[in-house]
Amino acid sequence: MSAITTHVLDTALGRPAAGVPVRLERIGDTTPQSLAESVTDADGRIRELGPESLEPGSYRLVFDVAHYAAATGQDYFLSAVDISFTPTEGRAHYHVPLLLSPFACSAYRGS
């Protein structure tokens, strides 16, 4: 099982956001290191993204909102959403949902 999963919901259309490209990166003092890439499924989910565990450090999820907006014919203010986070020791899985609309977004650590 992947240490990272996500779920993107399009709150303007009231449905899952299918087809959103997402990239997992490890960030630090140098250039970000890409660890995995995937695209949300018909339910707006990515059930497997990256390694089975995360080493201590800082990470970022990058959601390609511009791609999704173009594919759905919507006019979005945001072109990408970057969520940076630092895993806590002892936690094996992180679920990071994103609520998305043309003018705003919200993210949280899910269960």
Side-chain angles (χ1 to χ4, degrees):
M1 174 181 220
S2 176
I4 300 290
T5 57
T6 189
H7 189 194
V8 183
L9 298 172
D10 184 328
T11 60
L13 297 179
R15 65 182 188 209
V20 179
V22 181
R23 184 174 64 251
L24 172 64
E25 300 175 339
R26 181 166 181 157
I27 54 177
D29 296 335
T30 60
T31 304
Q33 175 190 9
S34 181
L35 299 178
E37 294 183 27
S38 191
V39 177
T40 57
D41 64 15
D43 194 33
R45 296 180 183 274
I46 297 177
R47 292 173 171 82
E48 297 285 329
L49 184 62
E52 290 185 14
S53 64
L54 296 177
E55 298 294 322
S58 296
Y59 296 84
R60 174 171 54 212
L61 286 172
V62 181
F63 297 82
D64 187 346
V65 176
H67 177 87
Y68 174 72
T72 59
Q74 297 182 78
D75 185 22
Y76 267 71
F77 173 71
L78 303 170
S79 59
V81 173
D82 298 356
I83 301 171
S84 298
F85 62 97
T86 305
T88 56
E89 191 127 357
R91 189 169 173 101
H93 178 257
Y94 297 89
H95 183 63
V96 185
L98 177 66
L99 304 176
L100 192 57
S101 76
F103 302 104
C105 66
S106 180
Y108 57 96
R109 188 183 80 184
S111 55

